[in-house]
Amino acid sequence: MEGLLKLSTLVIVCMLVSAPMASEAAISCGAVASNLGQCINYLTRGGFVPRGCCSGVRRLNSMARTTRDRQQACRCIQGAARALGSRLNPGRAARLPGACRVRISYPISARTNCNKVR
């Protein structure tokens, strides 16, 4: 019985210690892609910024609460930009947050060092 009590206590302590780490999980690239999916036509072809695009930009910005979240979102955005290749208009990408009236702490650019995003 004493061994079971020690094991139960150890499990509870591990849960308490790991809970803060789980709450700081970084944003997934899937979440970034789903939030920015409606922006693709604007970023590649131009025209007007769709309302759904700006909703996704605002939602993503509110999801990126921690430094780790913002760094991961930056990496995901850069990965998506690489996948679009020459179809992506870098100027439109850089202006997207402003067009959606969202302030972010780093420039949207292939040259942004995501490790320095805070």
Side-chain angles (χ1 to χ4, degrees), residues 5-116:
L5 181 60
K6 286 181 180 180
L7 180 61
S8 298
T9 303
L10 179 62
V11 168
I12 291 170
V13 168
C14 287
M15 289 171 60
L16 291 172
V17 168
S18 65
M21 290 179 214
S23 69
E24 290 197 37
I27 292 173
S28 72
C29 288
V32 172
S34 67
N35 279 292
L36 299 182
Q38 291 191 33
C39 303
I40 299 299
N41 282 339
Y42 167 74
L43 294 171
T44 57
R45 296 187 185 130
F48 68 96
V49 180
R51 185 177 299 162
C53 169
C54 286
S55 295
V57 169
R58 283 190 290 277
R59 194 168 34 253
L60 181 59
N61 190 50
S62 69
M63 290 169 61
R65 296 175 186 261
T66 67
T67 295
R68 187 172 172 207
D69 288 338
R70 287 184 288 277
Q71 289 175 343
Q72 181 63 19
C74 175
R75 288 183 195 101
C76 293
I77 290 168
Q78 286 185 336
R82 281 190 297 277
L84 288 171
S86 63
R87 295 183 302 148
L88 176 70
N89 181 304
R92 283 190 211 113
R95 291 188 301 272
L96 183 61
C100 292
R101 297 181 184 188
V102 173
R103 293 178 62 148
I104 62 171
S105 62
Y106 58 93
I108 303 297
S109 167
R111 286 175 259 154
T112 298
N113 182 345
C114 295
N115 292 326
K116 292 185 176 181

